[in-house]
Amino acid sequence: MTDSAPPVRLCDPVTLEIVRGAIRAAQAEMEALIERTAMSAFIREKKDFYTALFDAEGVMAVGSNVPVFGDICGPVFRKFAPDTMQPGDLYWYNDCYGSRGAVSHSNDQVFLAPVFHAGRRVAFVMGWAHFADIGGLRPGSISPDATDIFQEGIIVPPTKLIAAGTINEAALDIFYRNSRFPRAAQGDTRALMASVELGVARMAEIAGRFGADVLADALRQLFERTRETVRARLKQTFPVGTWRFTDRIDGDGHGSGPLRIRFALTRTPDDRFILDATETDDQSVGPVNFLMNPDVPGMALGLYFLGGEATQVVNAGGPRAIDEVRLREGSLVQPRFPAALGMRGLTMMRVLAALNGLVSVAGGEAPAAHAAYVIMLLRGTAGGKPFLMSDGIGVGYGARAFADGIDAVYFVAQENYPVEFLEQEYPVRLTRYGIHPDSGGPGRWRGGCGIVREYEVMAEEAVMAIRIDGVENPPWGAGGGMSGRPGRVTVNPGTPGERVLRPLSDGNRLVRGDVLRIETGGGGGRGNPHDRPAESVLADVLGGFVGAEAAARDYGVAVRNGAVDATATEALRADRPAAKEFHRGSYAHVLD
């Protein structure tokens, strides 16, 4: 018996790079259209939207650099056979459980359309965005108080929204009627529809230029190239055996916690890679459950391993590099219907950190843990009109093996609201906006620092929800680095009426003149803090990232009168503390 012949390559290497650039440009153009035409601030200003392109069978060819995508096309295919689709069709859903976690909370809407060339289906395109309000328990549809998904807004199963160019207006009317802010929902829907229409046109142009067969082969080669690259990096990082890591979230806001995420990655002697999450804690009553699609671990590890590879694109090759993902129904990362999911981002961020932890325990040099971005929702009435201010606030990311962690990051390419926009759009005045000093974990490479935002409330009355994690279980440091420092939320700080809010809470009442201070957490450090050059510590002190007291306590560097006191620093550093591999409040070789 002879081995099967290798597949015939219809797309040569030069054409492959042209196709890669063309589909990446089409995806970026779709994103630009959403940004310029959406109405709600969370899409237009925060940029909480993604686009992706798929081959004719629904396999992702290129997507945004976001490690939370699952099988986007599968939910639609299970209800609408691809061979029955026509030009001009558009499909829509936000059903988390029905999509098996392809969408992981209900605010995210997915619009998907097939692309045809000369009567042949050649691709699919997708637009996805977070809608500000889709009904539910409270304005914004996300609340720490939610205990089931029905309290988080309308659920849309896979639906044919446009049939051969004819819009199902009745379906949209039902959707808009469930929103407290229907005009914003209408504008955002039009933006997504326009983006998908643009993507269809661009992919049809690419197919027309190169031919359907060459395009199909090019996309296949891009999948294979990504998969081979990620598998090669997995083999370099993980010797044969099983590697384990545990991370924690503080709790669910309903009395349970901490909640542990336990991962094990096994490389078998025949080079199969198995990710096992079955030992993760049970699902929670509160809305911090993360319905993790099995593609997510491979997508996240793929993004890490593809870092710096300019010729690669994010696609289904990452998930396909892992042979099996084992999940346990009823766990925090595979909850049973109808568990609440609205604040799953908190757990999702710890999942991504836990995957970095797996790389670290295997001897790799992944970043230390990052903080989970903070969410606040301020709701009320101003000038006789209701308002909803949904704000996601940046945090510190973990130190890398070659550089400090990134300061003040929200999530991937998303952004913090500009001060001018906030004050014009909402009844608040920003009185302070800057770096949260000493929040980054000390290390040879310092963890990124979080943010301090201070708002003065200008509305007569408002109610606020807050989501902040890592207060009791801060982001871990690695390789001798120390954990990041937690954030907190305070009303009227420094006054007799000061009160600290529960980190995961809703129903917090504010009145005109109240000052709300939100301090977000920092990322973990990497390497022993006493190995950080004294000049770097001085720069941090002068720049407001590290206080003089913390410089002496954590780094053994004495800073006086804007300069390093060499004699005092030498004495401090003579007492070098013993460090272990990980740090979360204290040093440990293994986190549990």
Side-chain angles (χ1 to χ4, degrees):
M1 179 179 292
T2 59
D3 293 336
S4 59
V8 176
R9 297 297 191 195
L10 301 178
C11 183
D12 62 79
V14 173
T15 303
L16 179 64
E17 294 308 305
I18 296 172
V19 171
R20 180 181 67 84
I23 62 174
R24 183 67 183 87
Q27 185 230 354
E29 191 177 1
M30 291 173 65
E31 291 184 334
L33 181 59
I34 295 173
E35 179 181 349
R36 292 169 183 165
T37 59
M39 284 189 65
S40 66
F42 220 77
I43 301 175
R44 189 182 71 250
E45 300 290 339
K46 185 65 63 180
K47 299 178 176 51
D48 195 347
F49 58 80
Y50 317 111
T51 62
L53 310 174
F54 306 80
D55 73 0
E57 305 308 315
V59 180
M60 186 188 291
V62 58
S64 302
N65 291 344
V66 179
V68 296
F69 281 124
D71 174 14
I72 296 293
C73 296
V76 173
F77 292 173
R78 287 192 288 273
K79 186 170 180 180
F80 301 96
D83 290 343
T84 66
M85 296 178 178
Q86 303 177 60
D89 286 353
L90 179 69
Y91 300 86
W92 168 36
Y93 68 88
N94 77 339
D95 187 345
C96 301
Y97 288 95
S99 70
R100 302 173 186 172
V103 175
S104 53
H105 73 179
S106 299
N107 289 74
D108 292 335
Q109 310 297 312
V110 170
F111 285 11
L112 181 75
V115 182
F116 291 84
H117 170 68
R120 173 179 168 183
R121 190 180 74 250
V122 295
F124 288 88
V125 302
M126 178 210 73
W128 154 330
H130 176 109
F131 279 46
D133 182 89
I134 59 168
L137 183 65
R138 294 186 186 272
S141 309
I142 295 176
S143 171
D145 289 346
T147 55
D148 68 50
I149 197 167
F150 295 110
Q151 297 172 343
E152 297 175 338
I154 187 171
I155 299 172
V156 181
T159 300
K160 185 182 284 190
L161 182 58
I162 302 180
T166 301
I167 300 176
N168 184 344
E169 298 286 359
L172 288 176
D173 287 343
I174 293 169
F175 181 66
Y176 300 149
R177 190 71 175 107
N178 278 270
S179 176
R180 298 172 178 88
F181 301 91
R183 288 190 66 253
Q186 290 169 356
D188 294 342
T189 298
R190 294 190 189 106
L192 274 184
M193 292 170 68
S195 173
V196 171
E197 184 177 0
L198 175 63
V200 168
R202 292 291 180 262
M203 286 299 285
E205 291 169 3
I206 295 169
R209 178 181 178 186
F210 297 102
D213 290 333
V214 171
L215 175 60
D217 184 58
L219 300 183
R220 188 179 307 113
Q221 288 191 51
L222 290 174
F223 302 143
E224 293 171 358
R225 188 162 76 182
T226 298
R227 180 181 181 276
E228 290 168 2
T229 299
V230 175
R231 280 192 70 84
R233 298 288 173 82
L234 284 168
K235 291 177 182 177
Q236 292 170 7
T237 303
F238 294 95
V240 172
T242 297
W243 308 89
R244 301 179 185 277
F245 192 82
T246 299
D247 210 338
R248 300 176 180 175
I249 64 172
D250 289 346
D252 69 347
H254 291 256
S256 62
L259 299 169
R260 290 171 172 79
I261 300 158
R262 296 184 177 93
F263 284 166
L265 184 66
T266 297
R267 177 183 175 183
T268 66
D270 58 348
D271 287 339
R272 293 186 76 246
F273 288 92
I274 302 167
L275 190 285
D276 191 326
T278 58
E279 294 184 6
T280 293
D281 282 354
D282 290 345
Q283 68 188 62
S284 73
V285 173
V288 299
N289 302 290
F290 175 37
L291 186 62
M292 186 174 74
N293 187 275
D295 282 358
V296 167
M299 188 69 73
L301 287 170
L303 269 173
Y304 167 69
F305 287 125
L306 293 175
E309 292 282 347
T311 63
Q312 296 286 2
V313 292
V314 175
N315 61 33
R320 293 184 175 193
I322 294 182
D323 299 282
E324 183 181 355
V325 174
R326 296 174 182 171
L327 300 168
R328 177 176 62 84
E329 186 180 6
S331 70
L332 189 66
V333 294
Q334 200 64 196
R336 293 187 181 93
F337 179 81
L341 307 172
M343 295 204 159
R344 85 329 182 197
L346 185 155
T347 302
M348 178 185 71
M349 296 302 284
R350 297 269 60 79
V351 162
L352 301 180
L355 292 169
N356 282 346
L358 283 174
V359 173
S360 294
V361 296
E365 295 186 328
H370 47 267
Y373 58 91
V374 174
I375 294 292
M376 67 92 77
L377 296 98
L378 189 68
R379 322 154 179 119
T381 302
K385 295 182 179 180
F387 72 90
L388 168 64
M389 183 178 121
S390 300
D391 196 2
I393 308 175
V395 294
Y397 268 48
R400 296 157 286 181
F402 56 89
D404 292 345
I406 305 172
D407 304 300
V409 179
Y410 175 52
F411 182 48
V412 192
Q414 296 163 352
E415 299 178 3
N416 290 300
Y417 287 150
V419 174
E420 298 82 358
F421 166 77
L422 271 176
E423 295 188 342
Q424 289 181 10
E425 191 78 7
Y426 303 112
V428 297
R429 184 165 66 92
L430 249 67
T431 57
R432 181 179 175 189
Y433 182 26
I435 288 294
H436 181 191
D438 293 328
S439 57
R444 164 62 184 90
W445 301 109
R446 174 180 54 77
C449 286
I451 286 175
V452 178
R453 265 192 191 268
E454 203 167 83
Y455 313 77
E456 181 182 351
V457 177
M458 311 297 286
E460 289 304 318
E461 188 175 21
V463 175
M464 191 194 70
I466 190 71
R467 188 203 80 188
I468 187 168
D469 189 51
V471 176
E472 298 175 8
N473 298 274
W476 43 267
M482 300 175 73
S483 54
R485 305 294 161 80
R488 68 174 187 164
V489 183
T490 313
V491 177
N492 296 325
T495 71
E498 175 179 315
R499 68 184 196 270
V500 177
L501 303 185
R502 289 190 299 119
L504 195 60
S505 61
D506 206 339
N508 300 294
R509 296 200 169 274
L510 303 171
V511 298
R512 180 188 290 273
D514 278 345
V515 173
L516 172 69
R517 179 185 292 170
I518 300 178
E519 301 165 280
T520 71
R526 191 168 186 93
N528 195 304
H530 279 221
D531 291 334
R532 187 168 178 82
E535 294 76 15
S536 297
V537 178
L538 174 64
D540 282 343
V541 172
L542 297 178
F545 296 90
V546 175
E549 182 179 338
R553 180 188 67 235
D554 298 328
Y555 292 94
V557 175
V559 177
R560 297 190 175 91
N561 301 319
V564 173
D565 183 327
T567 302
T569 295
E570 183 178 1
L572 287 171
R573 288 195 158 181
D575 184 20
R576 182 184 176 93
K580 297 180 181 178
E581 183 57 31
F582 295 104
H583 184 279
R584 184 169 55 206
S586 60
Y587 280 112
H589 287 305
V590 178
L591 297 179
D592 59 15

